[in-house]
Amino acid sequence: VPELGLRLTGDGIELMISRVDADNSKEADAGLDQLLQARAFDSQRTADILLEKMRLFLNRTASATRYATYFTTGPYRAPSTPVVPLNTAESRVYRFL
């Protein structure tokens, strides 16, 4: 059974795969790609949520003298900018079986 660790670092994403058993067969790792994809998706979702929370905090507290560089960075979004929702009642649903 492989164990997979995914961690966000200052340099990028660190991936750690270790095997609990000594078996080297490919059949044991058949689901590893799906596991990695699920972990990557979950990490991206977590990062997006944290970025949005940081935006809300900075939009409330940033000013010309406090956190002034925020207004010139790429993640800056003016508070009046409408947010396009990703998931709505009309969104398509994909199921993988």
Side-chain angles (χ1 to χ4, degrees):
V1 176
E3 275 191 29
L4 184 68
L6 189 65
R7 185 173 70 161
L8 297 175
T9 65
D11 298 325
I13 296 175
E14 188 176 287
L15 175 65
M16 297 167 288
I17 300 174
S18 60
R19 296 190 66 85
V20 177
D21 59 356
D23 189 15
N24 226 5
S25 66
K26 290 290 182 185
E27 291 80 19
D29 293 339
L32 193 57
D33 288 340
Q34 290 89 4
L35 181 60
L36 177 60
Q37 186 176 9
R39 290 277 178 103
F41 177 79
D42 186 49
S43 296
Q44 180 66 49
R45 184 172 170 266
T46 301
D48 289 341
I49 290 169
L50 290 173
L51 180 62
E52 190 57 34
K53 286 181 179 180
M54 182 61 80
R55 274 191 191 122
L56 292 173
F57 169 78
L58 288 172
N59 282 341
R60 274 194 322 268
T61 59
S63 67
T65 56
R66 187 175 187 195
Y67 308 122
T69 56
Y70 167 62
F71 299 109
T72 59
T73 61
Y76 172 70
R77 184 176 65 217
S80 60
T81 306
V83 178
V84 178
L86 295 177
N87 296 316
T88 64
E90 293 80 31
S91 296
R92 286 185 159 184
V93 176
Y94 297 96
R95 294 176 194 236
F96 299 96
L97 302 173

